[in-house]
Amino acid sequence: MYTVILVLITVSGIHGWSDTKVRRFRDDFLFGVATSAYQVEGAWDVDDKGENIWDRFLHEHPGVIADGRNGDVACDSYHNYQRDVEMLRELGVDHYRFSISWSRILPTGFSNEINEKGIEYYDSLIDELIKYNIEPMVTLFHFDLPQILQDLGGWANPLSVEWFEDYAKIVFEKFGHKVKYWITMNQPNSICVDGYGGIEFAPAVGFSGVADYLCIKNVLLAHAKAYRLYQTEYKTKYKGSVGISLSLNWADSVDNKTENVESTDLFREFSIGLYMNPIWSKEGDFPAVVKKRVLQKSIEQGYRKSRLPELSSEEIKLLKGSADFLGANHYTTYFVKKAEKRLPSPSIDDDIGVELSQPSDWKTSQSSWLRSAPYGLYKMSLHINKVYDYPAVFITEHGWSTTKGLKDSSRVKNLRNYFNALLLAIEDGTDVKGYTAWSLMDNVEWIAGTSERFGLYEVNFESKEKTRKARLSALVYKRLIEQRIVEEDWKPDNMNISITKRKKYAKVEL
Ligand code: BGC
């Protein structure tokens, strides 16, 4: 009862924007946009880049891609990075979040062979950003593991922790003096639950309930090792901040039945707690309820031990506090209900035992999983404040998908509604330092290919030059960055966008 009343009050309070107060983003609040290497770079085998798991997966299974377009060429940012930076200057953003392709700089996956042409590419991109006072925010790993490391078990192999640490060391050595914001991993749940549990995401291992948990432990430990490495060897010299980006969508109970409210709590422990607890909780470790549930199920299924691997006391210590900021990737909200039918087991879905849905009256995007529910961002922010004691947050992704076309009014609406929710969350005590829109431009949306467009800029994939054009949302975002307020009725006079002169960037402590 209590939960539902709370949901309704919050929904109407936020959806209706019942007060008329004008809320403003602080002057030092940072605005940026994001992309990732596989999704934009192209040049998949150019200049000695090694093969990665997405190259292999989509080459071997072209039929899984909605429109058949893989990342071989993508936006060709490898050759068009200067145009990308020009777009960032047009938007007037403070930072650009992009990722480094591990196999572009280490074609063998290991540190024995450094590909200087790969290093040069990222060096040129970073220099171009700095030249125009745009702060690089670099993700070390955004889903594209070198294939050779996958052949050795990938993230299910505990040695992956060392492989990642070696890779991180090279990246910190090469770019540490220029980059102040680092993100170790993008969305461990996608890497592991989708890639090792499922079959629609590379490396498509499809061993849910086992491989996904092995992967989660190793990915989190790899993150922590890279964090500690930066702390001991580079922090004093370079004074940068290191965080991790987690997928933090929100979940609410579908109704007030006790079984659904309890299932929602459990779902949050599996979707948020599993990744946040080891780093941000006082006691560290995976959440107790998750450990208990997987152990109980595993024993019932005839396993000798829990399918969720344990963290030793040293590992718990290594992980606890291993982030200067929480990178929050937030897109949508789900309603949760206790599963009525039996789910295939073993699997993480069976361990959680819920069904997810989204109300049909929430605005739909071009992606089946993505509907607009701005109040969810507000509730998510308050939840993490309460459970994890006000962590420093950077929104490292948030976005909306459409079809082709420059007049993307549904993206503009979604953006404005979520900004209002974000401003309220900040007013109510959330320590959000910045916001990063996904994405700068249309790109290869994994197995959706280019059938779902997330860009503030449209990309013409048919053209040789992969021409980019500003959408309406780019103009609205640019204006918002300048004005720092959400103007519900502001419309540009025309679709022209020009370069904004930026002041020298002032670093924000994370
Ligand atoms: C991922 C991006 C992806 C976006 C939209 C995020 O979870 O990090 O790579 O394109 O979602 O699906």
Side-chain angles (χ1 to χ4, degrees):
M1 189 61 195
Y2 189 74
T3 315
V4 167
I5 292 175
L6 197 74
V7 170
L8 292 179
I9 290 172
T10 315
V11 170
S12 68
I14 292 191
H15 277 316
W17 308 117
S18 40
D19 67 4
T20 49
K21 179 170 168 188
V22 178
R23 294 178 175 80
R24 201 175 176 280
F25 286 99
R26 289 183 317 266
D27 286 341
D28 65 352
F29 188 89
L30 304 179
F31 288 100
V33 288
T35 60
S36 89
Y38 182 81
Q39 294 178 274
V40 302
E41 279 178 11
W44 82 278
D45 62 349
V46 172
D47 286 347
D48 302 325
K49 175 182 160 293
E51 184 192 25
N52 66 43
I53 57 174
W54 275 95
D55 298 325
R56 174 73 64 94
F57 179 52
L58 297 185
H59 286 156
E60 281 188 351
H61 306 281
V64 303
I65 316 169
D67 66 348
R69 192 174 275 125
N70 63 23
D72 286 2
V73 183
C75 310
D76 201 13
S77 285
Y78 190 70
H79 299 108
N80 291 324
Y81 73 90
Q82 282 170 320
R83 169 66 183 132
D84 293 348
V85 177
E86 190 176 74
M87 284 140 63
L88 300 166
R89 295 169 62 208
E90 288 168 357
L91 290 170
V93 290
D94 299 295
H95 65 280
Y96 178 43
R97 177 182 174 223
F98 64 93
S99 78
I100 290 187
S101 157
W102 187 336
S103 51
R104 192 177 294 288
I105 65 168
L106 302 181
T108 69
F110 293 99
S111 52
N112 64 317
E113 197 182 309
I114 299 178
N115 180 16
E116 286 308 328
K117 291 179 203 134
I119 300 285
E120 259 167 49
Y121 168 65
Y122 294 111
D123 234 357
S124 316
L125 170 60
I126 293 169
D127 287 348
E128 186 79 357
L129 292 168
I130 293 175
K131 178 164 149 199
Y132 295 110
N133 295 327
I134 299 165
E135 196 69 8
M137 177 180 262
V138 178
T139 310
L140 292 176
F141 185 74
H142 198 122
F143 306 161
D144 47 357
L145 193 71
Q147 180 60 41
I148 187 75
L149 300 183
Q150 190 57 46
D151 297 341
L152 301 173
W155 293 113
N157 185 339
L159 290 175
S160 57
V161 177
E162 282 175 30
W163 304 336
F164 184 74
E165 195 187 3
D166 287 349
Y167 160 59
K169 191 171 169 57
I170 286 163
V171 177
F172 293 151
E173 279 299 324
K174 299 281 179 192
F175 308 114
H177 58 299
K178 297 179 183 174
V179 174
K180 299 296 168 229
Y181 298 116
W182 294 100
I183 291 162
T184 54
M185 298 283 174
N186 185 64
Q187 298 190 183
N189 76 317
S190 308
I191 303 169
C192 301
V193 178
D194 299 337
Y196 286 72
I199 54 165
E200 296 196 328
F201 216 73
V205 174
F207 192 2
S208 185
V210 176
D212 35 16
Y213 292 136
L214 295 176
C215 169
I216 290 169
K217 172 174 173 173
N218 295 327
V219 163
L220 289 179
L221 288 175
H223 149 79
K225 281 275 189 190
Y227 177 81
R228 302 287 171 209
L229 171 72
Y230 190 88
Q231 289 295 109
T232 46
E233 293 190 26
Y234 305 97
K235 180 84 179 173
T236 325
K237 243 189 318 191
Y238 300 140
K239 304 188 173 44
S241 304
V242 182
I244 179 169
S245 286
L246 303 180
S247 167
L248 295 177
N249 290 323
W250 183 236
D252 261 326
S253 178
V254 72
D255 59 22
N256 58 352
K257 285 197 192 123
T258 311
E259 58 175 32
N260 291 333
V261 172
E262 285 173 1
S263 289
T264 306
D265 286 342
L266 187 68
F267 178 75
R268 287 185 197 143
E269 294 291 351
F270 271 89
S271 57
I272 304 171
L274 191 55
Y275 309 94
M276 280 201 72
N277 253 59
I279 303 174
W280 279 277
S281 71
K282 287 203 181 65
E283 62 288 354
D285 204 355
F286 295 129
V289 285
V290 173
K291 291 203 302 185
K292 190 168 153 216
R293 177 87 171 192
V294 184
L295 175 64
Q296 187 195 334
K297 285 257 179 191
S298 305
I299 300 298
E300 280 167 20
Q301 290 156 351
Y303 290 86
R304 224 167 36 80
K305 287 164 74 170
S306 176
R307 287 177 277 102
L308 177 68
E310 270 182 24
L311 291 171
S312 68
S313 50
E314 292 87 72
E315 289 167 342
I316 291 175
K317 214 169 128 216
L318 177 80
L319 274 158
K320 224 166 37 160
S322 64
D324 298 322
F325 63 96
L326 164 65
N329 292 358
H330 179 93
Y331 284 84
T332 194
T333 288
Y334 295 102
F335 277 179
V336 181
K337 185 170 179 278
K338 187 171 197 270
E340 273 162 18
K341 53 179 198 299
R342 273 187 70 99
L343 297 161
S345 71
S347 70
I348 191 169
D349 286 346
D350 177 60
D351 292 340
I352 311 173
V354 301
E355 282 164 28
L356 302 180
S357 63
Q358 291 181 311
S360 54
D361 58 344
W362 287 359
K363 277 258 168 306
T364 49
S365 68
Q366 187 62 19
S367 313
S368 58
W369 53 272
L370 176 54
R371 283 175 185 256
S372 189
Y375 88 96
L377 173 59
Y378 176 82
K379 290 192 80 180
M380 163 61 69
S381 308
L382 267 59
H383 171 81
I384 58 173
N385 276 351
K386 193 166 119 204
V387 181
Y388 300 104
D389 202 17
Y390 298 85
V393 180
F394 211 109
I395 307 255
T396 43
E397 274 183 45
H398 167 255
W400 186 252
S401 60
T402 60
T403 48
K404 279 192 227 174
L406 298 181
K407 296 263 164 72
D408 55 345
S409 41
S410 67
R411 179 173 290 106
V412 169
K413 190 153 186 48
N414 188 62
L415 199 68
R416 285 180 171 147
N417 289 344
Y418 272 84
F419 275 137
N420 282 323
L422 179 58
L423 282 163
L424 277 193
I426 295 171
E427 186 167 288
D428 288 351
T430 309
D431 185 14
V432 188
K433 313 280 192 193
Y435 170 94
T436 318
W438 183 272
S439 176
L440 168 62
M441 63 192 146
D442 294 340
N443 53 54
V444 176
E445 175 57 18
W446 311 111
I447 62 167
T450 51
S451 66
E452 298 171 18
R453 308 288 185 113
F454 277 87
L456 297 175
Y457 280 70
E458 178 172 80
V459 176
N460 179 355
F461 291 101
E462 273 80 42
S463 67
K464 194 169 157 287
E465 303 74 22
K466 310 294 161 203
T467 322
R468 291 99 154 107
K469 258 199 196 140
R471 287 203 167 101
L472 179 63
S473 56
L475 290 142
V476 170
Y477 190 39
K478 175 186 171 77
R479 168 89 178 175
L480 191 133
I481 297 171
E482 279 162 9
Q483 304 295 317
R484 313 246 135 201
I485 54 169
V486 180
E487 296 166 296
E488 300 294 345
D489 46 11
W490 183 79
K491 286 193 189 70
D493 297 334
N494 56 55
M495 292 290 284
N496 299 336
I497 187 162
S498 55
I499 288 172
T500 298
K501 254 202 149 126
R502 299 197 68 257
K503 285 196 271 332
K504 176 92 187 96
Y505 180 86
K507 185 179 176 279
V508 164
E509 279 306 321
L510 289 176

